Amino acid sequence: MSLRVGEAADAEAIGELTREAYAKWVPLIGREPLPMTIDYAQALKAHRFDLLHVGEELAGLIETVVDGEQLLVVNVAVRPAFQGRGFGVRLMALAEQIAADAGLAGVRLYTSQRFAANIALYASLGYGIDREEALNGGVAVHMSKRIEHPQAIAAAIACVEAFTERFNARDAAGMDSLLHFPHVILDGERLIVWKTAGQLPADFFERLVARGWRRSTYQDKRAVLSSPIKVHLLIEYSRDGEGGEVLSRHANLWIVTFENGRWGIRQRSY
């Protein structure tokens, strides 16, 4: 078994395999599924095709294209004679590796609502249903899976923890050193942009202390989207008074990015 990236000369073989793989769905939906109607000579110019061979025979393929911060799986097909051997799962794992190597946030795909076996397979691989929509006389089920980037997530969390230490030390300059500028704050309906360091009001901590604040404690820092250079963190924290009394609880979204050789907080939403 071997894998290689498809070339222009593979267009005919790709079309033949796809027609064989999707033929079983024609009686179910009363027409040829979209992949059976594609001009693969043109598709090869715009999309990546990874071809799986068993010996000399083309056994399966996966067609992908970058779509924003995700990798879209346009088509995954396995020749009927080779189905049931886990090749489809192997090809989906390859798509996830392609997405991770490219620094993308996840993989997405869509399939017919009537292809129940396909939906069940994708669900077993960790894909969740995002939405359904009317498409080509049927219903398309859109599914996606987030790709984790553990090193980036760990670095982003460490940045936030360092910022918290500086915050509790009331060290405005130390806080600024952990931000990227321009720094964006969405405070309710107010959009605030700090173009440079030194924008924290001089009496900020004085006003916090007057309201009883002594320190902030972060209960959770959860990554909801990640790439090698950007992490979106859902942060839950409390503002505490004397003796650890909880004055208020908050849940915010922070975006931490790797720029100019360091991790820093680019945006905060309150």
Side-chain angles (χ1 to χ4, degrees), residues 210-225:
R211 293 197 294 268
W213 175 86
R214 294 297 179 269
R215 64 178 289 109
S216 292
T217 305
Y218 286 72
Q219 284 80 34
D220 194 17
K221 308 175 190 72
R222 184 166 66 256
V224 295
L225 193 66

Side-chain angles (χ1 to χ4, degrees), residues 3-242:
L3 281 163
R4 68 174 176 85
V5 176
E7 302 173 348
D10 297 308
E12 183 176 352
I14 289 171
E16 290 175 356
L17 182 149
T18 301
R19 292 190 64 82
E20 287 184 32
Y22 281 85
K24 65 181 180 181
W25 299 115
V26 174
L28 179 65
I29 63 176
R31 60 175 174 79
E32 291 187 341
L34 182 62
M36 296 179 71
T37 69
I38 297 298
D39 179 346
Y40 284 102
Q42 292 300 313
L44 275 157
K45 297 177 181 178
H47 298 168
R48 170 172 172 162
F49 286 77
D50 287 272
L51 309 181
L52 186 152
H53 286 81
V54 175
E56 297 298 318
E57 189 170 2
L58 179 60
L61 63 87
I62 190 162
E63 175 187 358
T64 58
V65 63
V66 175
D67 181 28
E69 291 192 339
Q70 294 180 306
L71 185 74
L72 171 64
V73 174
V74 181
N75 179 20
V76 57
V78 177
R79 196 180 297 275
F82 294 97
Q83 291 178 4
R85 303 190 193 182
F87 291 161
V89 173
R90 181 185 178 95
L91 289 166
M92 289 300 296
L94 174 62
E96 293 174 23
Q97 187 60 56
I98 292 170
D101 290 345
L104 299 174
V107 177
R108 76 175 187 90
L109 56 86
Y110 59 90
T111 189
S112 171
Q113 186 186 57
R114 304 193 71 181
F115 296 175
N118 286 359
I119 294 171
L121 172 63
Y122 299 138
S124 73
L125 297 177
Y127 288 77
I129 295 176
D130 299 322
R131 60 188 174 90
E132 298 181 354
E133 68 167 345
L135 183 67
N136 297 330
V139 176
V141 179
H142 293 260
M143 307 179 74
S144 66
K145 180 178 181 179
R146 192 174 72 202
I147 301 297
E148 299 288 358
H149 298 272
Q151 291 183 332
I153 291 171
I157 289 175
C159 177
V160 170
E161 289 176 344
F163 181 87
T164 305
E165 291 178 3
R166 295 299 87 214
F167 188 95
N168 285 330
R170 308 176 197 179
D171 176 5
M175 292 163 57
D176 282 346
S177 71
L178 293 160
L179 304 179
H180 285 310
F181 297 95
H183 182 72
V184 179
I185 302 172
L186 184 59
D187 184 1
E189 297 181 353
R190 293 192 307 148
L191 181 64
I192 303 168
V193 179
W194 291 351
K195 294 183 178 180
T196 61
Q199 302 300 305
L200 190 72
D203 65 346
F204 176 81
F205 287 109
E206 182 180 335
R207 287 186 282 114
L208 270 185
V209 171
R211 293 197 294 268
W213 175 86
R214 294 297 179 269
R215 64 178 289 109
S216 292
T217 305
Y218 286 72
Q219 284 80 34
D220 194 17
K221 308 175 190 72
R222 184 166 66 256
V224 295
L225 193 66
S226 66
S227 79
I229 59 171
K230 181 172 65 173
V231 179
H232 295 229
L233 292 171
L234 181 61
I235 294 176
E236 298 178 6
Y237 71 95
S238 62
R239 286 182 172 170
D240 305 335
E242 291 288 353

